[in-house]
Amino acid sequence: LILTIPAVFLASDFRYQLKKRKILDGYISKAQIRRQFLLRIGSHVLLYAVLTVVITQTIERPFWQMLLAIFAILTPLYFISEWIIRRDGKRDPDYISDVEVARFVRQKGTSQWNTYSSDKHV
């Protein structure tokens, strides 16, 4: 039952990444969209798989020990995956972050992609 919580997160994030992919379709190439999509989904699938293993290995222990193991293992993995994604974004001038997509969705009526970097295929 406890594994359904991250599964729901993974499913909702997958839906978000599909929406993000659709939004980016007119702004960057299909290869870049696919690469960004696979990198983000891949990192979340990896984190979910590790969480599943940690939970199944610590299920017999007290809840606080399970929670401690989850945080001790997943926190560094999460920050490493985010660092890799950000590093990839800095290398690619056409990288569009989740923050930029959220900003675009909020300003949906505008015809320009509002970002901090210069002309991203507007």
Side-chain angles (χ1 to χ4, degrees), residues 2-89:
I2 198 165
L3 293 176
T4 59
I5 295 168
V8 168
F9 168 76
L10 189 64
S12 69
D13 185 64
F14 185 73
R15 281 188 43 213
Y16 169 76
Q17 292 301 325
L18 287 175
K19 287 179 185 177
K20 178 182 171 184
R21 199 173 174 170
K22 189 181 292 186
I23 290 169
L24 296 180
D25 192 29
Y27 296 98
I28 59 178
S29 72
K30 300 267 187 220
Q32 290 170 318
I33 293 170
R34 185 177 59 249
R35 183 167 183 246
Q36 288 182 20
F37 176 78
L38 291 176
L39 187 61
R40 182 64 73 172
I41 292 297
S43 72
H44 287 150
V45 167
L46 173 72
L47 290 171
Y48 177 71
V50 169
L51 177 62
T52 302
V53 169
V54 170
I55 288 174
T56 57
Q57 293 298 316
T58 60
I59 199 76
E60 299 296 322
R61 295 184 182 174
F63 182 73
W64 70 270
Q65 286 181 346
M66 181 192 309
L67 206 55
L68 184 65
I70 289 170
F71 282 113
I73 294 170
L74 284 180
T75 301
L77 285 177
Y78 172 78
F79 284 117
I80 289 169
S81 69
E82 286 298 311
W83 176 76
I84 289 170
I85 290 170
R86 285 192 183 115
R87 184 192 65 188
D88 186 59

Coordinates of all heavy atoms in Angstrom, one line a residue, residues 2-89:
I2 N 2.0 1.2 0.7 CA 2.8 2.4 0.8 C 3.5 2.7 -0.5 O 3.8 3.9 -0.8 CB 3.8 2.3 1.9 CG1 4.4 3.7 2.3 CG2 5.0 1.4 1.6 CD1 5.1 3.7 3.6
L3 N 3.6 1.7 -1.4 CA 4.3 1.9 -2.7 C 3.4 2.6 -3.7 O 3.8 3.1 -4.7 CB 4.7 0.6 -3.3 CG 5.9 -0.1 -2.5 CD1 6.2 -1.4 -3.1 CD2 7.1 0.8 -2.5
T4 N 2.1 2.7 -3.3 CA 1.2 3.4 -4.3 C 1.4 4.9 -4.2 O 1.1 5.6 -5.2 CB -0.3 3.2 -3.9 OG1 -0.5 3.6 -2.6 CG2 -0.6 1.7 -4.1
I5 N 1.9 5.5 -3.2 CA 2.2 6.9 -3.1 C 3.2 7.4 -4.1 O 2.9 8.3 -4.9 CB 2.6 7.3 -1.6 CG1 1.4 7.1 -0.7 CG2 3.0 8.8 -1.6 CD1 1.8 7.2 0.8
P6 N 4.4 6.7 -4.2 CA 5.3 7.1 -5.2 C 4.8 6.8 -6.6 O 5.1 7.5 -7.6 CB 6.6 6.4 -4.9 CG 6.4 5.6 -3.7 CD 5.0 5.8 -3.2
A7 N 4.0 5.7 -6.7 CA 3.5 5.3 -8.0 C 2.6 6.4 -8.6 O 2.6 6.7 -9.8 CB 2.8 4.0 -8.0
V8 N 1.8 7.0 -7.7 CA 0.9 8.1 -8.1 C 1.7 9.3 -8.5 O 1.4 9.9 -9.5 CB -0.1 8.4 -6.9 CG1 -0.8 9.7 -7.2 CG2 -1.1 7.3 -6.7
F9 N 2.7 9.6 -7.8 CA 3.6 10.7 -8.1 C 4.2 10.4 -9.5 O 4.3 11.3 -10.4 CB 4.7 10.9 -7.1 CG 5.8 11.9 -7.6 CD1 5.5 13.2 -7.6 CD2 7.0 11.4 -8.0 CE1 6.5 14.1 -8.1 CE2 8.0 12.2 -8.5 CZ 7.7 13.6 -8.6
L10 N 4.7 9.2 -9.7 CA 5.3 8.9 -11.0 C 4.4 9.0 -12.1 O 4.7 9.6 -13.2 CB 5.9 7.5 -10.9 CG 6.8 7.0 -12.1 CD1 8.0 7.9 -12.2 CD2 7.2 5.6 -11.9
A11 N 3.1 8.6 -11.9 CA 2.1 8.7 -13.0 C 1.8 10.1 -13.3 O 1.6 10.5 -14.4 CB 0.9 7.9 -12.6
S12 N 1.6 11.0 -12.2 CA 1.3 12.4 -12.4 C 2.4 13.1 -13.1 O 2.2 14.0 -13.9 CB 0.9 13.0 -11.1 OG 2.0 13.2 -10.3
D13 N 3.7 12.8 -12.7 CA 4.8 13.4 -13.3 C 4.9 13.0 -14.8 O 5.3 13.8 -15.7 CB 6.1 13.0 -12.6 CG 7.3 13.8 -13.2 OD1 7.3 15.0 -13.1 OD2 8.2 13.1 -13.8
F14 N 4.6 11.7 -15.1 CA 4.6 11.3 -16.5 C 3.6 12.1 -17.3 O 3.9 12.5 -18.4 CB 4.3 9.8 -16.6 CG 4.4 9.2 -17.9 CD1 5.7 9.0 -18.5 CD2 3.3 8.9 -18.7 CE1 5.8 8.5 -19.8 CE2 3.4 8.4 -19.9 CZ 4.7 8.2 -20.5
R15 N 2.4 12.3 -16.8 CA 1.4 13.1 -17.5 C 2.0 14.6 -17.7 O 1.8 15.1 -18.8 CB 0.1 13.2 -16.7 CG -0.7 12.0 -16.8 CD -2.1 12.2 -16.1 NE -2.6 13.5 -16.4 CZ -3.4 14.2 -15.6 NH1 -3.7 13.7 -14.4 NH2 -3.9 15.4 -15.9
Y16 N 2.6 15.1 -16.7 CA 3.2 16.5 -16.8 C 4.2 16.5 -17.9 O 4.3 17.4 -18.7 CB 3.8 16.9 -15.4 CG 4.6 18.2 -15.6 CD1 3.9 19.4 -15.8 CD2 6.0 18.2 -15.6 CE1 4.7 20.6 -15.9 CE2 6.7 19.3 -15.8 CZ 6.0 20.5 -15.9 OH 6.8 21.7 -16.1
Q17 N 5.1 15.5 -17.9 CA 6.2 15.5 -18.9 C 5.6 15.3 -20.3 O 6.2 15.9 -21.3 CB 7.2 14.3 -18.6 CG 8.0 14.5 -17.3 CD 8.8 15.8 -17.3 OE1 9.3 16.2 -18.4 NE2 8.9 16.4 -16.2
L18 N 4.5 14.6 -20.5 CA 3.8 14.5 -21.8 C 3.3 15.9 -22.2 O 3.4 16.2 -23.3 CB 2.7 13.5 -21.7 CG 3.2 12.0 -21.7 CD1 2.0 11.1 -21.6 CD2 4.0 11.6 -22.9
K19 N 2.7 16.6 -21.2 CA 2.2 17.9 -21.5 C 3.3 18.9 -21.9 O 3.2 19.6 -22.8 CB 1.4 18.5 -20.4 CG 0.1 17.9 -20.1 CD -0.6 18.5 -18.9 CE -1.9 17.8 -18.6 NZ -2.5 18.4 -17.4
K20 N 4.4 18.8 -21.1 CA 5.6 19.6 -21.4 C 6.1 19.3 -22.8 O 6.5 20.2 -23.6 CB 6.7 19.3 -20.4 CG 8.0 20.1 -20.6 CD 9.0 19.7 -19.5 CE 10.3 20.3 -19.9 NZ 11.4 20.0 -18.9
R21 N 6.1 18.0 -23.2 CA 6.6 17.6 -24.5 C 5.8 18.2 -25.6 O 6.3 18.7 -26.6 CB 6.5 16.1 -24.5 CG 7.4 15.5 -25.6 CD 7.3 14.0 -25.4 NE 8.1 13.5 -26.6 CZ 8.4 12.2 -26.7 NH1 8.1 11.3 -25.8 NH2 9.1 11.8 -27.8
K22 N 4.5 18.3 -25.4 CA 3.6 18.9 -26.4 C 3.8 20.4 -26.5 O 3.8 20.9 -27.6 CB 2.1 18.6 -26.0 CG 1.1 19.0 -27.0 CD -0.3 18.7 -26.6 CE -0.5 17.2 -26.5 NZ -2.0 16.9 -26.2
I23 N 4.0 21.0 -25.4 CA 4.3 22.5 -25.4 C 5.6 22.8 -26.1 O 5.6 23.8 -26.9 CB 4.3 23.0 -23.9 CG1 2.9 23.0 -23.3 CG2 4.9 24.4 -23.9 CD1 2.9 23.3 -21.8
L24 N 6.6 22.0 -25.9 CA 7.9 22.3 -26.4 C 8.0 21.9 -27.9 O 8.9 22.3 -28.6 CB 9.0 21.5 -25.7 CG 9.2 21.8 -24.3 CD1 10.3 20.9 -23.7 CD2 9.6 23.3 -24.1
D25 N 7.0 21.3 -28.4 CA 7.0 20.8 -29.8 C 7.3 21.8 -30.8 O 8.1 21.6 -31.8 CB 5.7 20.1 -30.1 CG 5.7 19.3 -31.4 OD1 6.8 18.8 -31.8 OD2 4.7 19.2 -32.1
G26 N 6.8 23.0 -30.7 CA 7.1 24.0 -31.7 C 8.3 24.9 -31.4 O 8.6 25.8 -32.2
Y27 N 9.0 24.6 -30.4 CA 10.2 25.5 -30.0 C 11.5 24.8 -30.1 O 12.5 25.5 -30.4 CB 10.0 25.9 -28.5 CG 8.8 26.8 -28.3 CD1 7.6 26.2 -27.8 CD2 8.8 28.1 -28.7 CE1 6.5 27.0 -27.7 CE2 7.7 28.9 -28.5 CZ 6.5 28.3 -28.0 OH 5.4 29.1 -27.9
I28 N 11.6 23.5 -29.9 CA 12.9 22.9 -30.1 C 12.7 21.6 -30.9 O 11.6 21.2 -31.2 CB 13.6 22.5 -28.7 CG1 12.7 21.7 -27.9 CG2 13.9 23.8 -28.0 CD1 13.3 21.3 -26.5
S29 N 13.8 21.0 -31.3 CA 13.7 19.8 -32.2 C 13.2 18.6 -31.5 O 13.2 18.5 -30.2 CB 15.1 19.5 -32.7 OG 15.9 18.9 -31.7
K30 N 12.7 17.7 -32.2 CA 12.1 16.4 -31.7 C 13.2 15.7 -30.9 O 12.9 15.1 -29.9 CB 11.5 15.5 -32.8 CG 10.5 16.2 -33.6 CD 9.1 15.8 -33.1 CE 8.1 16.4 -34.0 NZ 6.9 16.9 -33.3
A31 N 14.4 15.7 -31.4 CA 15.5 14.9 -30.7 C 15.7 15.5 -29.3 O 15.9 14.8 -28.3 CB 16.7 14.9 -31.5
Q32 N 15.7 16.9 -29.2 CA 16.0 17.5 -28.0 C 14.8 17.3 -27.0 O 15.0 17.1 -25.8 CB 16.2 19.0 -28.2 CG 17.5 19.4 -28.8 CD 17.5 20.8 -29.3 OE1 16.6 21.4 -29.8 NE2 18.7 21.4 -29.0
I33 N 13.6 17.3 -27.6 CA 12.4 17.1 -26.7 C 12.5 15.6 -26.2 O 12.3 15.4 -25.0 CB 11.1 17.2 -27.5 CG1 10.9 18.7 -27.9 CG2 9.9 16.7 -26.7 CD1 9.8 19.0 -28.9
R34 N 12.8 14.7 -27.0 CA 12.9 13.3 -26.6 C 14.0 13.1 -25.5 O 13.8 12.4 -24.5 CB 13.1 12.4 -27.8 CG 13.1 10.9 -27.4 CD 13.3 10.0 -28.6 NE 14.5 10.2 -29.4 CZ 14.6 10.8 -30.6 NH1 13.5 11.1 -31.2 NH2 15.8 11.0 -31.1
R35 N 15.1 13.8 -25.8 CA 16.2 13.6 -24.8 C 15.8 14.2 -23.4 O 16.1 13.6 -22.4 CB 17.4 14.4 -25.4 CG 18.7 14.3 -24.5 CD 19.9 14.7 -25.2 NE 21.0 14.5 -24.4 CZ 21.8 15.5 -24.0 NH1 21.5 16.8 -24.3 NH2 22.8 15.3 -23.2
Q36 N 15.2 15.4 -23.4 CA 14.8 16.0 -22.2 C 13.8 15.1 -21.5 O 13.8 14.9 -20.3 CB 14.3 17.4 -22.4 CG 15.3 18.4 -22.7 CD 14.8 19.8 -22.9 OE1 13.7 20.1 -22.4 NE2 15.5 20.7 -23.6
F37 N 12.8 14.6 -22.2 CA 11.8 13.8 -21.7 C 12.3 12.5 -21.1 O 12.0 12.1 -20.0 CB 10.8 13.4 -22.8 CG 9.7 12.5 -22.4 CD1 8.6 12.9 -21.7 CD2 9.8 11.2 -22.8 CE1 7.6 12.0 -21.4 CE2 8.8 10.3 -22.5 CZ 7.7 10.7 -21.7
L38 N 13.2 11.8 -21.8 CA 13.8 10.6 -21.3 C 14.7 10.8 -20.1 O 14.7 9.9 -19.2 CB 14.5 9.9 -22.5 CG 13.7 9.3 -23.6 CD1 14.5 8.7 -24.7 CD2 12.7 8.3 -23.0
L39 N 15.4 11.9 -20.1 CA 16.3 12.2 -19.0 C 15.5 12.4 -17.7 O 15.8 11.8 -16.7 CB 17.2 13.4 -19.3 CG 18.2 13.7 -18.3 CD1 19.2 12.6 -18.1 CD2 18.9 15.0 -18.7
R40 N 14.4 13.2 -17.8 CA 13.6 13.4 -16.6 C 12.8 12.2 -16.2 O 12.8 11.9 -15.0 CB 12.6 14.6 -17.0 CG 11.7 15.0 -15.8 CD 12.5 15.6 -14.7 NE 13.0 16.9 -14.9 CZ 13.5 17.6 -14.0 NH1 13.6 17.2 -12.8 NH2 14.0 18.8 -14.3
I41 N 12.2 11.5 -17.1 CA 11.4 10.3 -16.8 C 12.4 9.2 -16.3 O 12.1 8.5 -15.3 CB 10.6 9.8 -18.0 CG1 9.5 10.8 -18.3 CG2 10.0 8.4 -17.8 CD1 8.4 10.9 -17.2
G42 N 13.5 9.1 -16.9 CA 14.5 8.1 -16.5 C 14.9 8.3 -15.1 O 15.0 7.3 -14.3
S43 N 15.2 9.5 -14.7 CA 15.6 9.8 -13.3 C 14.5 9.5 -12.3 O 14.8 8.9 -11.3 CB 16.1 11.3 -13.2 OG 15.0 12.2 -13.2
H44 N 13.3 9.8 -12.7 CA 12.2 9.5 -11.8 C 11.9 8.0 -11.7 O 11.6 7.5 -10.6 CB 10.9 10.2 -12.2 CG 11.0 11.7 -11.9 ND1 10.3 12.7 -12.6 CD2 11.6 12.4 -10.9 CE1 10.6 13.9 -12.1 NE2 11.4 13.7 -11.1
V45 N 12.0 7.3 -12.8 CA 11.8 5.8 -12.7 C 12.9 5.2 -11.8 O 12.7 4.3 -11.0 CB 11.8 5.2 -14.1 CG1 11.9 3.7 -14.1 CG2 10.5 5.6 -14.8
L46 N 14.2 5.7 -12.0 CA 15.3 5.2 -11.2 C 15.0 5.5 -9.7 O 15.2 4.6 -8.9 CB 16.6 5.8 -11.6 CG 17.8 5.5 -10.7 CD1 18.2 4.1 -10.9 CD2 18.9 6.5 -11.0
L47 N 14.6 6.7 -9.4 CA 14.3 7.0 -8.0 C 13.1 6.1 -7.4 O 13.2 5.7 -6.3 CB 13.9 8.5 -7.8 CG 15.1 9.4 -8.0 CD1 14.6 10.9 -8.1 CD2 16.1 9.3 -6.9
Y48 N 12.1 5.9 -8.2 CA 11.0 5.1 -7.8 C 11.5 3.6 -7.6 O 11.1 3.0 -6.6 CB 9.9 5.1 -8.8 CG 8.7 4.2 -8.4 CD1 7.9 4.5 -7.4 CD2 8.5 3.0 -9.1 CE1 6.8 3.7 -7.0 CE2 7.4 2.2 -8.8 CZ 6.6 2.5 -7.7 OH 5.6 1.7 -7.4
A49 N 12.3 3.1 -8.5 CA 12.8 1.7 -8.3 C 13.6 1.6 -7.1 O 13.5 0.6 -6.3 CB 13.6 1.4 -9.6
V50 N 14.5 2.6 -6.8 CA 15.3 2.5 -5.6 C 14.4 2.6 -4.3 O 14.6 1.9 -3.4 CB 16.4 3.7 -5.6 CG1 17.0 3.8 -4.2 CG2 17.4 3.4 -6.7
L51 N 13.4 3.5 -4.4 CA 12.5 3.6 -3.3 C 11.7 2.3 -3.0 O 11.6 1.9 -1.9 CB 11.4 4.7 -3.6 CG 10.3 4.9 -2.5 CD1 10.9 5.3 -1.2 CD2 9.3 5.9 -3.0
T52 N 11.3 1.6 -4.1 CA 10.7 0.3 -4.0 C 11.6 -0.7 -3.3 O 11.2 -1.4 -2.4 CB 10.2 -0.2 -5.4 OG1 9.4 0.8 -5.9 CG2 9.5 -1.5 -5.3
V53 N 12.8 -0.7 -3.7 CA 13.8 -1.7 -3.1 C 14.0 -1.3 -1.6 O 14.0 -2.2 -0.8 CB 15.1 -1.7 -3.9 CG1 16.2 -2.4 -3.1 CG2 14.9 -2.2 -5.3
V54 N 14.2 -0.1 -1.3 CA 14.4 0.3 0.1 C 13.2 0.0 0.9 O 13.4 -0.6 2.0 CB 14.8 1.8 0.2 CG1 14.7 2.3 1.6 CG2 16.1 2.1 -0.5
I55 N 12.0 0.2 0.5 CA 10.8 -0.1 1.2 C 10.7 -1.6 1.4 O 10.4 -2.0 2.6 CB 9.6 0.5 0.6 CG1 9.6 2.0 0.8 CG2 8.3 -0.1 1.2 CD1 8.5 2.8 0.0
T56 N 10.9 -2.4 0.4 CA 10.8 -3.8 0.5 C 11.8 -4.4 1.4 O 11.6 -5.4 2.1 CB 10.8 -4.5 -0.8 OG1 12.0 -4.2 -1.5 CG2 9.6 -4.2 -1.7
Q57 N 13.0 -3.8 1.5 CA 14.1 -4.3 2.3 C 13.9 -3.9 3.8 O 14.5 -4.5 4.7 CB 15.4 -3.8 1.8 CG 15.8 -4.4 0.5 CD 16.0 -5.9 0.6 OE1 16.5 -6.5 1.5 NE2 15.4 -6.6 -0.4
T58 N 13.2 -2.8 4.0 CA 13.1 -2.3 5.4 C 11.6 -2.4 5.9 O 11.3 -1.9 7.0 CB 13.5 -0.8 5.5 OG1 12.7 0.0 4.6 CG2 14.9 -0.6 5.1
I59 N 10.8 -3.1 5.2 CA 9.4 -3.2 5.6 C 9.2 -3.9 7.0 O 8.2 -3.6 7.7 CB 8.6 -4.0 4.5 CG1 7.1 -3.7 4.7 CG2 8.8 -5.5 4.6 CD1 6.7 -2.4 4.2
E60 N 10.1 -4.8 7.4 CA 10.0 -5.4 8.7 C 10.5 -4.6 9.8 O 10.3 -4.9 11.0 CB 10.8 -6.8 8.6 CG 10.3 -7.7 7.6 CD 8.9 -8.2 7.9 OE1 8.5 -8.4 9.1 OE2 8.1 -8.4 6.9
R61 N 11.2 -3.6 9.6 CA 11.8 -2.7 10.6 C 10.7 -1.7 11.0 O 9.7 -1.5 10.4 CB 13.0 -2.0 10.1 CG 14.1 -2.9 9.8 CD 15.3 -2.2 9.3 NE 16.4 -3.1 9.0 CZ 17.5 -2.7 8.5 NH1 17.8 -1.5 8.2 NH2 18.4 -3.6 8.2
P62 N 11.0 -1.0 12.2 CA 10.1 0.1 12.6 C 10.0 1.2 11.5 O 10.9 1.4 10.7 CB 10.7 0.6 13.9 CG 11.6 -0.5 14.3 CD 12.1 -1.2 13.1
F63 N 8.9 1.9 11.5 CA 8.6 2.9 10.5 C 9.7 4.0 10.5 O 10.1 4.4 9.4 CB 7.3 3.6 10.7 CG 6.9 4.6 9.7 CD1 6.6 4.2 8.4 CD2 7.0 5.9 10.0 CE1 6.3 5.1 7.5 CE2 6.7 6.9 9.0 CZ 6.3 6.5 7.8
W64 N 10.2 4.4 11.6 CA 11.2 5.5 11.7 C 12.5 5.0 11.0 O 13.2 5.8 10.4 CB 11.5 6.0 13.1 CG 12.2 5.0 14.0 CD1 11.6 4.1 14.8 CD2 13.6 4.8 14.2 NE1 12.5 3.3 15.5 CE2 13.8 3.8 15.1 CE3 14.7 5.5 13.6 CZ2 15.0 3.4 15.5 CZ3 16.0 5.0 14.0 CH2 16.1 4.0 15.0
Q65 N 12.9 3.7 11.1 CA 14.1 3.2 10.5 C 13.9 3.1 8.9 O 14.8 3.4 8.2 CB 14.4 1.8 11.0 CG 15.0 1.8 12.4 CD 15.4 0.5 12.9 OE1 15.0 -0.6 12.3 NE2 16.2 0.4 13.9
M66 N 12.7 2.8 8.5 CA 12.4 2.8 7.1 C 12.5 4.2 6.5 O 13.1 4.4 5.5 CB 11.0 2.3 6.8 CG 10.6 2.2 5.4 SD 8.9 1.9 5.0 CE 8.5 0.5 5.9
L67 N 11.9 5.2 7.2 CA 11.9 6.5 6.8 C 13.4 7.1 6.8 O 13.8 7.8 5.8 CB 11.1 7.4 7.8 CG 10.5 8.7 7.2 CD1 9.7 8.4 6.0 CD2 9.6 9.3 8.3
L68 N 14.1 6.7 7.8 CA 15.6 7.2 7.8 C 16.3 6.6 6.6 O 17.1 7.3 6.0 CB 16.2 6.7 9.1 CG 17.6 7.2 9.3 CD1 17.7 8.7 9.4 CD2 18.2 6.5 10.6
A69 N 16.1 5.3 6.3 CA 16.8 4.7 5.2 C 16.3 5.3 3.9 O 17.2 5.5 3.0 CB 16.5 3.2 5.2
I70 N 15.1 5.6 3.7 CA 14.6 6.3 2.5 C 15.3 7.6 2.3 O 15.8 7.9 1.2 CB 13.1 6.4 2.6 CG1 12.4 5.1 2.4 CG2 12.6 7.4 1.5 CD1 10.9 5.1 2.7
F71 N 15.3 8.4 3.4 CA 15.9 9.7 3.2 C 17.5 9.6 3.0 O 18.0 10.4 2.3 CB 15.6 10.6 4.4 CG 14.2 11.2 4.4 CD1 13.3 10.8 5.3 CD2 13.9 12.1 3.4 CE1 12.0 11.4 5.2 CE2 12.6 12.7 3.3 CZ 11.7 12.3 4.2
A72 N 18.1 8.7 3.7 CA 19.5 8.5 3.6 C 20.0 8.1 2.2 O 21.0 8.5 1.7 CB 20.0 7.5 4.7
I73 N 19.1 7.3 1.6 CA 19.5 6.8 0.2 C 19.0 7.7 -0.9 O 19.7 8.0 -1.8 CB 19.0 5.3 0.1 CG1 19.8 4.5 1.1 CG2 19.2 4.8 -1.3 CD1 19.3 3.0 1.2
L74 N 17.7 8.1 -0.8 CA 17.1 8.8 -1.9 C 17.5 10.3 -2.0 O 17.5 10.8 -3.1 CB 15.6 8.7 -1.8 CG 15.0 7.3 -2.2 CD1 13.5 7.3 -2.1 CD2 15.4 7.0 -3.6
T75 N 17.8 10.9 -0.9 CA 18.1 12.3 -0.9 C 19.4 12.5 -1.8 O 19.3 13.4 -2.7 CB 18.3 12.9 0.5 OG1 17.0 12.7 1.2 CG2 18.6 14.4 0.5
P76 N 20.5 11.8 -1.5 CA 21.6 12.0 -2.4 C 21.3 11.7 -3.9 O 21.8 12.4 -4.8 CB 22.7 11.1 -1.8 CG 22.3 10.8 -0.5 CD 20.8 10.9 -0.4
L77 N 20.6 10.6 -4.1 CA 20.3 10.2 -5.5 C 19.4 11.3 -6.2 O 19.6 11.6 -7.3 CB 19.5 8.9 -5.5 CG 20.4 7.6 -5.2 CD1 19.5 6.4 -5.2 CD2 21.4 7.5 -6.3
Y78 N 18.5 11.9 -5.4 CA 17.7 12.9 -6.0 C 18.5 14.1 -6.4 O 18.4 14.6 -7.5 CB 16.6 13.3 -5.0 CG 15.8 14.6 -5.5 CD1 14.9 14.4 -6.5 CD2 16.1 15.8 -5.0 CE1 14.2 15.5 -7.0 CE2 15.4 16.9 -5.4 CZ 14.5 16.8 -6.4 OH 13.8 17.9 -6.9
F79 N 19.4 14.6 -5.5 CA 20.2 15.7 -5.8 C 21.2 15.4 -6.9 O 21.5 16.3 -7.7 CB 20.9 16.2 -4.5 CG 20.0 17.0 -3.6 CD1 19.7 16.5 -2.3 CD2 19.4 18.1 -4.0 CE1 18.8 17.2 -1.5 CE2 18.5 18.8 -3.2 CZ 18.2 18.3 -1.9
I80 N 21.7 14.2 -7.0 CA 22.6 13.9 -8.1 C 21.9 13.9 -9.4 O 22.4 14.4 -10.4 CB 23.3 12.5 -7.9 CG1 24.3 12.6 -6.7 CG2 23.9 11.9 -9.1 CD1 24.8 11.2 -6.2
S81 N 20.6 13.3 -9.4 CA 19.9 13.3 -10.7 C 19.5 14.8 -11.1 O 19.6 15.1 -12.3 CB 18.6 12.4 -10.6 OG 17.7 13.0 -9.7
E82 N 19.1 15.6 -10.2 CA 18.8 17.0 -10.5 C 20.1 17.7 -11.0 O 20.0 18.5 -11.9 CB 18.2 17.7 -9.3 CG 16.8 17.3 -9.0 CD 15.8 17.7 -10.1 OE1 15.9 18.8 -10.6 OE2 15.1 16.8 -10.5
W83 N 21.2 17.4 -10.4 CA 22.5 18.1 -10.8 C 22.8 17.7 -12.3 O 23.2 18.5 -13.1 CB 23.6 17.6 -9.9 CG 24.9 18.2 -10.3 CD1 25.4 19.4 -10.2 CD2 25.9 17.4 -11.0 NE1 26.7 19.5 -10.7 CE2 27.0 18.3 -11.2 CE3 26.0 16.1 -11.4 CZ2 28.2 17.9 -11.8 CZ3 27.2 15.6 -12.0 CH2 28.2 16.5 -12.2
I84 N 22.6 16.4 -12.6 CA 22.8 15.9 -14.0 C 21.9 16.6 -14.9 O 22.3 17.1 -16.0 CB 22.7 14.4 -14.0 CG1 23.8 13.7 -13.3 CG2 22.6 13.9 -15.5 CD1 23.7 12.2 -13.1
I85 N 20.6 16.7 -14.6 CA 19.7 17.4 -15.5 C 20.0 18.9 -15.6 O 20.0 19.4 -16.7 CB 18.2 17.2 -14.9 CG1 17.8 15.8 -15.1 CG2 17.2 18.2 -15.6 CD1 16.5 15.4 -14.4
R86 N 20.4 19.6 -14.6 CA 20.8 21.0 -14.7 C 22.1 21.1 -15.4 O 22.2 22.1 -16.2 CB 20.9 21.6 -13.3 CG 19.6 21.8 -12.6 CD 19.7 22.7 -11.4 NE 18.4 22.8 -10.8 CZ 18.1 22.4 -9.6 NH1 19.0 21.7 -8.9 NH2 16.9 22.6 -9.1
R87 N 23.0 20.2 -15.2 CA 24.3 20.3 -16.0 C 24.0 20.1 -17.5 O 24.5 20.8 -18.3 CB 25.2 19.2 -15.5 CG 26.6 19.2 -16.2 CD 27.4 18.0 -15.9 NE 26.7 16.9 -16.6 CZ 27.0 15.7 -16.4 NH1 28.0 15.3 -15.6 NH2 26.3 14.7 -17.1
D88 N 23.1 19.2 -17.8 CA 22.7 19.0 -19.2 C 22.1 20.2 -19.7 O 22.3 20.6 -20.9 CB 21.8 17.8 -19.3 CG 21.4 17.5 -20.7 OD1 22.4 17.2 -21.5 OD2 20.2 17.5 -21.1
G89 N 21.2 20.9 -18.9 CA 20.6 22.1 -19.4 C 21.6 23.3 -19.6 O 21.4 24.1 -20.5

